[in-house]
Amino acid sequence: MICDTCANYVYDEDWECYTCMVNMDEDDYYRMMSGKRSECPYYQDNDEYKVVRHQM
């Protein structure tokens, strides 16, 4: 998991830490943590310039 580059991973001022804003159900969380699914199904790349670099 690469949470640091995910658009859903934001700073929560109330908790004073970074948290995932996805409301993931227990089954998805279990699959992701158990290794059966190595990638987060809700991952969104936060790199706005990825398309531009691909076009160059």
Side-chain angles (χ1 to χ4, degrees):
M1 293 181 293
I2 308 172
C3 295
D4 294 339
T5 60
C6 182
N8 294 317
Y9 194 63
V10 296
Y11 188 77
D12 187 342
E13 292 182 11
D14 295 332
W15 290 39
E16 297 180 351
C17 64
Y18 283 89
T19 58
C20 182
M21 298 307 292
V22 173
N23 189 8
M24 193 179 307
D25 67 1
E26 292 178 18
D27 293 332
D28 283 338
Y29 185 75
Y30 175 77
R31 276 188 228 108
M32 191 172 66
M33 291 297 149
S34 68
K36 293 179 183 175
R37 176 184 272 171
S38 61
E39 295 180 3
C40 178
Y42 304 103
Y43 178 81
Q44 294 179 356
D45 193 3
N46 198 21
D47 187 3
E48 298 172 356
Y49 300 105
K50 186 176 186 176
V51 174
V52 175
R53 275 182 277 172
H54 179 70
Q55 293 173 349
M56 295 175 99

